[in-house]
Amino acid sequence: AQSVAQPEDQVNVAEGNPLTVKCTYSVSGNPYLFWYVQYPNRGLQFLLKYITGDNLVKGSYGFEAEFNKSQTSFHLKKPSALVSDSALYFCAVRDKGTGGFKTIFGAGTRLFVKA
Amino acid sequence: DTGVSQNPRHKITKRGQNVTFRCDPISEHNRLYWYRQTLGQGPEFLTYFQNEAQLEKSRLLSDRFSAERPKGSFSTLEIQRTEQGDSAMYLCASSSEGTVETQYFGPGTRLLVL
């Protein structure tokens, strides 16, 4: 069965510092991996996805994520955090092997960036 | 591209009543998804349509839940005999056909069952 774990409920970082939001996954086959962001009173917005190829994926707003197959991780990173990055971040996985379209989301990590 | 829209945005109902939500996807998107999100959790997959065909359903989707997409455009999600445990945010997403398409989410319908 597919699953996603976001081990931190909350991440606090100072503006200008690098940030990391952690995600680990479990699928029976190879994964498609996604990061979404949710701002207050707004729908989920796509940030980036890993399909295949280069393990480092670059996405919107300066975010990137690194796929690590041996550690089954897909951590979200940004070199320099902005106050406006404060939001709820969701990691998601889809099992490439099943051929289905069911996407499993993690419980979310709230990011607070202090000025 | 006006984005995915959902109506109503909020719904308060009494236990035992039926409710229906509507989702209008991005016009050229032939794939449509419904999710449920409760406080402190990520979205949970409910069902998936490709055009008018409902191709996947989660076991979360009990007999009281039914979804349709009659002409492959808008979709409705109906909950019959609502229970307090149905209180949640119901999210709709759409995507275009492709190998690993990006899902675009609507703002959601927040349901409160009293």
Side-chain angles (χ1 to χ4, degrees), chain B residues 41-78:
Chain B
Q41 298 298 318
E44 296 174 290
F45 172 84
L46 292 178
T47 191
Y48 158 72
F49 288 86
Q50 180 152 328
N51 299 312
E52 66 275 10
Q54 188 174 19
L55 297 184
E56 269 191 86
K57 286 172 61 173
S58 167
R59 278 172 285 182
L60 291 174
L61 214 63
S62 76
D63 291 345
R64 297 184 298 104
F65 287 70
S66 62
E68 293 183 341
R69 195 181 183 200
K71 296 183 180 179
S73 57
F74 72 91
S75 176
T76 57
L77 178 68
E78 181 182 17

Side-chain angles (χ1 to χ4, degrees), chain A residues 32 34 36 38 41 43-44 46 49 51 90 94 100-103 105-108, chain B residues 31 33 35 37 40-43 45 48 56 91 99-103 105-107:
Chain A
Y32 297 129
F34 308 84
Y36 285 83
Q38 189 172 39
N41 300 316
L44 275 78
F46 170 80
K49 64 185 175 186
I51 303 172
F90 291 97
R94 207 172 96 194
F101 294 88
K102 182 177 180 179
T103 303
F105 284 78
Chain B
R31 293 178 172 172
Y33 310 76
Y35 293 86
Q37 186 177 18
Q41 298 298 318
F45 172 84
Y48 158 72
E56 269 191 86
L91 299 171
T99 306
V100 188
E101 72 287 355
T102 298
Q103 294 180 37
F105 282 81

